Amino acid sequence: DSGVTQTPKHLITATGQRVTLRCSPRSGDLSVYWYQQSLDQGLQFLIQYYNGEERAKGNILERFSAQQFPDLHSELNLSSLELGDSALYFCASSLGQGKSYEQYFGPGTRLTVT
Amino acid sequence: AQSVTQPDIHITVSEGASLELRCNYSYGATPYLFWYVQSPGQGLQLLLKYFSGDTLVQGIKGFEAEFKRSQSSFNLRKPSVHWSDAAEYFCAVGARETSGSRLTFGEGTQLTVNP
């Protein structure tokens, strides 16, 4: 158990809908990262927040947005869902914001868009 | 831009045999390198990391990895594989992004262990 929690574990929804994925980082960690894992794209970095502020952005679609709240939990919002958004979404956390800090991953949320 | 290549998509070994998983990276600055393992239906677990210093690093579950700058490699090894090691293994490089950071992952190597 990494100490990072993600809810829900599974999510099934229809195209065009909007969903929210939630992540709670390990106690004491200030950075939260979101990654998408799919069969065709592999593990892709989406976005990073540090202490409530966006710090780095990857290949995140405009339909996707995220935020980190004062209690440091984070939410990833996916809207206008398409079949291709079906994937495993991971949240990770680290103590700091730099590249030297190891990231600890949650169990993931499996999103299925039908 | 940084990149990671894991040349072997799938490796099969017998239980008790030695294991080496290959990883090559491309990164302009000092690399911060990681190996993660993902069991079916699970998240990614950190096996080990290399930041600097000794080029042979020890990790959990009896794994070790050797950093070779001249070959841009960071191969993962285990002297004797157990059936419970069957999983997918990912090599990653930590990269600086403006005011933050990211991990860039390889494609992964699926390990099958035969009894």
Side-chain angles (χ1 to χ4, degrees):
Chain A
D1 185 358
S2 67
V4 179
T5 60
Q6 289 186 248
T7 56
K9 192 165 185 176
H10 300 279
L11 201 48
I12 301 174
T13 189
T15 55
Q17 295 298 304
R18 172 189 170 95
V19 296
T20 297
L21 313 183
R22 183 187 169 101
C23 167
S24 293
R26 294 188 318 158
S27 177
D29 283 358
L30 298 177
S31 269
V32 169
Y33 308 78
W34 287 97
Y35 292 85
Q36 180 194 59
Q37 185 179 35
S38 62
L39 283 175
D40 54 344
Q41 299 283 337
L43 268 162
Q44 297 282 319
F45 167 72
L46 295 178
I47 198 163
Q48 177 202 10
Y49 281 83
Y50 175 79
N51 205 19
E53 294 186 4
E54 182 184 307
R55 290 298 191 183
K57 209 164 186 176
N59 299 323
I60 187 167
L61 299 172
E62 285 191 12
R63 301 183 285 109
F64 295 1
S65 64
Q67 59 184 123
Q68 186 180 27
F69 294 87
D71 67 352
L72 300 177
H73 91 270
S74 178
E75 292 181 356
L76 179 67
N77 299 297
L78 315 177
S79 62
S80 303
L81 285 167
E82 302 175 359
L83 295 178
D85 298 326
S86 295
L88 194 50
Y89 291 84
F90 286 112
C91 168
S93 73
S94 68
L95 181 62
Q97 61 178 331
K99 63 180 181 178
S100 63
Y101 290 94
E102 54 263 41
Q103 296 179 26
Y104 293 89
F105 283 73
T109 293
R110 182 168 294 281
L111 173 67
T112 302
V113 182
T114 61
Chain B
Q2 67 279 356
S3 66
V4 177
T5 301
Q6 293 179 247
D8 305 305
I9 296 173
H10 193 188
I11 282 183
T12 299
V13 299
S14 298
E15 191 168 16
S18 64
L19 172 70
E20 182 168 27
L21 302 182
R22 296 183 291 165
C23 171
N24 293 100
Y25 69 90
S26 173
Y27 187 59
T30 302
Y32 292 79
L33 297 162
F34 306 84
W35 275 99
Y36 285 85
V37 60
Q38 183 180 24
S39 298
Q42 304 291 318
L44 287 91
Q45 182 182 22
L46 179 65
L47 285 177
L48 47 78
K49 61 184 184 288
Y50 171 78
F51 290 165
S52 64
D54 195 347
T55 56
L56 187 63
V57 294
Q58 302 297 321
I60 62 171
K61 304 185 178 186
F63 285 93
E64 65 179 25
E66 186 170 13
F67 171 66
K68 292 185 178 180
R69 185 184 295 275
S70 61
Q71 298 178 20
S72 298
S73 69
F74 187 55
N75 294 348
L76 182 72
R77 300 195 295 245
K78 186 169 185 177
S80 177
V81 170
H82 188 261
W83 63 266
S84 61
D85 293 324
E88 189 154 23
Y89 292 79
F90 292 92
C91 180
V93 61
R96 183 170 180 175
E97 288 284 331
T98 53
S99 57
S101 64
R102 69 157 71 185
L103 288 176
T104 296
F105 287 89
E107 304 89 341
T109 297
Q110 183 68 47
L111 174 66
T112 298
V113 180
N114 287 335

